[in-house]
Amino acid sequence: KIFRLIIYASFNTYILGCLWFLISKEQNITNSWYIRFGLDKKKETWEKLVMSLYFALTILSTVGYGDFFPISETEMVIAVVVMGFGVAFFSFIMNEFINIMRNHEVKMGVPDKREPLKKWLISLQRFSNRQPL
């Protein structure tokens, strides 16, 4: 199940990177992400792919390092939509991962350690509430 989540995240990042590249390239304006960051001058396809995937992952995760950023208004609108989707996307991924871990604990019979922790915290509270001598 974890492998499936990794594949799902990688596939979505790849699709988003390719779409971003195509949208930026096809705008036919002199000031776009494709032109500004020199993708029109790069000859190797893998260089363009790496830059597009890097940008897609930073914008999808809403980290946005700042080294690549949307230039045109169209790109900015798309970036806002992708960031909104990114929050939902990573929330879904984390929820699925937590469910996998919870199911694993149930299957493996991991002991519940909440009760001893609760007792220890209560004893700490009682100890700290004692009056000075």
Side-chain angles (χ1 to χ4, degrees):
K1 289 183 178 184
I2 292 175
F3 182 70
R4 188 173 23 175
L5 285 177
I6 292 169
I7 295 296
Y8 181 68
S10 300
F11 179 74
N12 282 335
T13 303
Y14 177 78
I15 294 298
L16 181 63
C18 291
L19 286 174
W20 181 263
F21 177 82
L22 290 173
I23 290 168
S24 182
K25 182 180 178 183
E26 297 300 323
Q27 285 188 59
N28 293 326
I29 57 175
T30 58
N31 196 17
S32 71
W33 183 84
Y34 179 78
I35 303 293
R36 173 86 176 259
F37 296 111
L39 275 75
D40 57 333
K41 295 178 178 87
K42 295 194 181 298
K43 295 181 181 175
E44 298 293 326
T45 304
W46 68 269
E47 289 177 296
K48 295 175 184 179
L49 179 65
V50 168
M51 288 180 73
S52 297
L53 291 178
Y54 172 78
F55 180 75
L57 189 57
T58 58
I59 200 169
L60 188 63
S61 63
T62 68
V63 173
Y65 293 117
D67 48 357
F68 296 116
F69 47 89
I71 305 297
S72 70
E73 289 182 14
T74 303
E75 292 169 346
M76 289 180 194
V77 169
I78 293 169
V80 168
V81 171
V82 170
M83 283 185 235
F85 172 72
V87 171
F89 175 70
F90 278 103
S91 297
F92 168 76
I93 295 289
M94 290 307 298
N95 182 49
E96 289 299 310
F97 185 74
I98 289 168
N99 285 337
I100 290 169
M101 297 307 290
R102 192 173 290 145
N103 289 337
H104 176 70
E105 287 177 357
V106 168
K107 287 179 183 176
M108 297 305 290
V110 176
D112 186 11
K113 296 180 183 176
R114 287 181 285 185
E115 194 59 38
L117 178 63
K118 185 177 177 183
K119 288 179 183 177
W120 183 73
L121 289 172
I122 290 171
S123 66
L124 280 178
Q125 184 179 15
R126 287 181 185 160
F127 179 76
S128 66
N129 287 338
R130 287 188 177 179
Q131 298 296 324
L133 296 174

